[in-house]
Amino acid sequence: MVVFAMAILLMASLVIMLYFSRKAVKDEALHKASETLESVVQRIDNILLSVEQTTGNFYFNMVPDLNSPDMMYTFATKLVETNPYVAGCAIAFREDYFPGHKYFMAYVHHADSGGVAYSGREIVRDSVFGSIPYYKQVWFTRPMATFKPQWLNPLAGMESDEVPILTFSLPLPGIDGKPIGVIGVDVSLSDLSQIVAEAKPSPNSYCTLIDKDGVYIVHPNTQKLLQQTTVVLTGNEDDASAREAAHAMTSGETGYRPFRLNGNDYYVFFKPFERNAVSGRDIEKLKWSAGIIYPEDDIFGDYNSLTYYVLIIAFVGLLLMFLLSRTVIHRQLQPLNMLTEQAQRIAKGHYDEPIPSSRHKDEIGRLQDNFRLMQQSLATNIGEMDQLKATLQERSKVLQAAYTKAKKADRMKTAFLHNMTNQMLAPAESISKDVEALGSLGSTANAQSIAWMVDDIQQSGDTIAEVLKNLLNISDEEKEPEEGKEVTHV
């Protein structure tokens, strides 16, 4: 009962403690994810701002040479060499801008050298970009139509096999104020993802950046760039939790959502990608969303391990408490168990078995000592009763023998009286017959017959008198010892 009560109190304490601990761990993870997200957003925005400022600076340097097509390759090359985040630069002009060139584009980019840093890659020139003419590609047509600098979704409408890129398009105004061309500066999403991947709050987490359509702009796995978020998250477009998380991110919400991937639980912490306001910077609404994919084991792994350890320690502690309590209680109850057994044996008639003295000075010890004294007193009384019983049994045997003798003597006396009575019966009958015969003779009886009858009556009377005399003598003989005993007693 004590262990059960302790288990209830301990489990209640553990549940409360673990609940608030889990809440604290979750809040800490959310705080850490928020800080990391803010850091990622700032880092990405700094990269974008660096590209924007570099492009703007080169535009001002290009103004005097906008009529020289050969200088466009020089400016494009310098721009790529100057900014480490730029993968390529294309300076394209509207139709028939340069005499002798219906369409003109100066395109310079780093050669793909299998993971080598930009600083070590070769810079090459090219006159085409993608599989369709540049004047039909979005990075050129949209700025020409809107006449505003803007960032374009990766390879939007380009239909190219190039690596995923993010393009900053800056329209070039002419003398008449109308756009004459576009500077397109490319940022490799693979390299941007590797830069951002360094900022992660836990070993297995990673940062992501998606556009308004749910397409990955930044992801540590470059093979998943340009894929839809729901497909990347779970591999199953029908996953409700992935769709909800993707919808929340593309809707510009701030918060977190749980989802599952390959049987594992994850949390995605997200917030809108907000650009910093800088003097001279055109703040456009990109409608991007930054997120951190956080495995649940990274958030609650140590907490869950601690929970298991605490539960194991609590279980072992309760088990040890139970065993210790059981041992102590069993040891303390040994005298009571011994007294119970002794009481049962006493009830069965074993009164002479000794009870040891108690080594305890508590109530149980005093009870054992008192029970021992009671058993000794009971054994003494039972011994005296047994001795008295033996004495009574011996006296009973003597009385039984005397009683038997008395009954035998009484039977002998009765038999003797019967015998004596029988001895008197024949003479009495003879006297009766003779008297009856004398009465019937009358005057006709002769003297001899009468004398014979009288003589016979005399003999029978003597016989009866003799028997009575013997009875009186025997009675006197039995009476004299009894009178002598009475006299002696007196």
Side-chain angles (χ1 to χ4, degrees):
M1 291 176 65
V2 171
V3 174
F4 181 70
M6 290 295 296
I8 293 177
L9 294 176
L10 181 60
M11 291 306 298
S13 301
L14 285 178
V15 168
I16 296 174
M17 181 189 71
L18 294 176
Y19 170 77
F20 286 102
S21 299
R22 185 179 180 89
K23 187 176 182 297
V25 170
K26 194 172 183 179
D27 292 341
E28 181 181 359
L30 181 59
H31 178 70
K32 185 184 296 184
S34 299
E35 291 183 345
T36 306
L37 273 177
E38 187 64 30
S39 174
V40 168
V41 169
Q42 290 295 329
R43 190 163 189 177
I44 295 176
D45 187 53
N46 290 337
I47 294 174
L48 299 184
L49 180 60
S50 172
V51 173
E52 294 173 7
Q53 290 177 341
T54 301
T55 306
N57 292 336
F58 270 86
Y59 162 70
F60 289 110
N61 292 330
M62 289 170 51
V63 172
D65 299 312
L66 285 177
N67 294 323
S68 175
D70 293 334
M71 289 298 295
M72 298 301 105
Y73 280 101
T74 302
F75 285 116
T77 303
K78 288 294 183 179
L79 193 150
V80 173
E81 291 176 347
T82 302
N83 196 307
Y85 302 115
V86 176
C89 177
I91 304 176
F93 292 86
R94 70 186 181 189
E95 182 180 358
D96 296 326
Y97 178 75
F98 291 113
H101 298 281
K102 185 174 181 62
Y103 296 101
F104 178 82
M105 180 184 69
Y107 178 44
V108 178
H109 62 91
H110 285 284
D112 187 6
S113 56
V116 179
Y118 280 149
S119 59
R121 298 179 188 177
E122 182 184 1
I123 298 177
V124 297
R125 294 184 178 186
D126 208 337
S127 59
V128 295
F129 177 49
S131 58
I132 59 177
Y134 74 86
Y135 51 84
K136 292 183 179 181
Q137 295 178 10
V138 177
W139 67 271
F140 181 81
T141 59
R142 187 174 297 174
M144 290 292 290
T146 60
F147 199 37
K148 290 182 179 180
Q150 54 193 285
W151 286 92
L152 300 175
N153 293 340
L155 295 176
M158 297 180 185
E159 300 180 5
S160 172
D161 295 331
E162 298 287 341
V163 294
I165 60 174
L166 183 65
T167 302
F168 174 68
S169 297
L170 178 65
L172 300 175
I175 298 175
D176 56 359
K178 295 182 181 180
I180 61 174
V182 174
I183 301 178
V185 181
D186 303 329
V187 177
S188 172
L189 295 185
S190 300
D191 294 299
L192 183 61
S193 297
Q194 292 178 2
I195 294 172
V196 175
E198 299 176 358
K200 56 182 181 179
S202 68
N204 300 314
S205 62
Y206 55 89
C207 301
T208 62
L209 183 65
I210 64 173
D211 66 3
K212 62 180 180 179
D213 298 322
V215 176
Y216 277 114
I217 301 174
V218 172
H219 196 281
N221 187 353
T222 57
Q223 296 180 354
K224 295 182 179 181
L225 296 173
L226 305 181
Q227 296 186 22
Q228 290 292 325
T229 309
T230 53
V231 178
V232 174
L233 286 175
T234 63
N236 183 0
E237 294 182 354
D238 295 331
D239 190 276
S241 61
R243 289 200 307 271
E244 182 182 358
H247 178 72
M249 294 180 69
T250 55
S251 299
E253 298 181 13
T254 300
Y256 65 92
R257 293 289 189 279
F259 68 94
R260 292 184 63 83
L261 174 62
N262 299 326
N264 298 320
D265 294 324
Y266 292 85
Y267 281 88
V268 54
F269 298 86
F270 50 86
K271 64 174 294 186
F273 181 82
E274 297 177 356
R275 305 171 67 192
N276 292 326
V278 179
S279 177
R281 186 182 192 185
D282 185 13
I283 304 298
E284 59 176 320
K285 296 294 184 179
L286 297 179
K287 297 182 180 180
W288 294 349
S289 180
I292 293 180
I293 308 300
Y294 224 144
E296 187 177 14
D297 290 339
D298 284 10
I299 301 176
F300 299 110
D302 294 339
Y303 170 82
N304 292 333
S305 299
L306 177 63
T307 301
Y308 298 146
Y309 292 148
V310 169
L311 291 177
I312 291 174
I313 292 173
F315 176 77
V316 173
L318 289 174
L319 181 60
L320 290 177
M321 175 187 256
F322 173 76
L323 295 177
L324 181 61
S325 301
R326 183 179 178 86
T327 302
V328 171
I329 293 174
H330 178 72
R331 183 174 180 180
Q332 293 295 327
L333 291 181
Q334 279 182 348
L336 289 179
N337 293 331
M338 185 267 294
L339 294 178
T340 302
E341 294 178 358
Q342 290 294 335
Q344 292 175 351
R345 295 188 61 80
I346 289 175
K348 293 180 181 180
H350 303 280
Y351 305 106
D352 56 349
E353 292 187 1
I355 297 177
S357 299
S358 176
R359 294 175 297 176
H360 302 280
K361 302 302 180 182
D362 54 3
E363 290 78 2
I364 296 179
R366 292 197 295 270
L367 176 62
Q368 182 176 348
D369 292 337
N370 294 331
F371 195 87
R372 180 175 59 84
L373 295 176
M374 182 195 72
Q375 187 270 343
Q376 293 176 352
S377 177
L378 182 62
T380 301
N381 293 332
I382 294 299
E384 293 177 355
M385 291 179 63
D386 290 340
Q387 185 178 2
L388 180 60
K389 180 180 178 181
T391 302
L392 291 176
Q393 287 178 350
E394 291 178 359
R395 292 181 179 179
S396 176
K397 291 179 180 179
V398 173
L399 291 175
Q400 184 67 31
Y403 178 71
T404 303
K405 289 180 180 180
K407 289 181 67 176
K408 183 178 180 181
D410 185 66
R411 286 195 299 271
M412 291 177 64
K413 184 183 293 185
T414 302
F416 175 75
L417 291 175
H418 286 173
N419 185 24
M420 298 299 287
T421 304
N422 291 333
Q423 291 181 10
M424 290 187 297
L425 182 61
E429 289 180 352
S430 177
I431 293 172
S432 177
K433 290 180 180 180
D434 290 340
V435 171
E436 184 180 356
L438 286 175
S440 63
L441 288 178
S443 60
T444 59
N446 54 18
Q448 187 178 358
S449 298
I450 293 170
W452 183 81
M453 291 181 184
V454 171
D455 186 55
D456 188 37
I457 292 171
Q458 185 64 37
Q459 290 181 357
S460 297
D462 293 339
T463 300
I464 293 172
E466 185 66 23
V467 171
L468 292 174
K469 183 180 179 180
N470 291 334
L471 287 174
L472 291 174
N473 291 334
I474 293 173
S475 176
D476 292 338
E477 291 177 357
E478 291 181 352
K479 186 176 181 182
E480 287 179 359
E482 292 180 358
E483 291 178 352
K485 291 180 180 180
E486 291 178 357
V487 171
T488 303
H489 178 69
V490 173

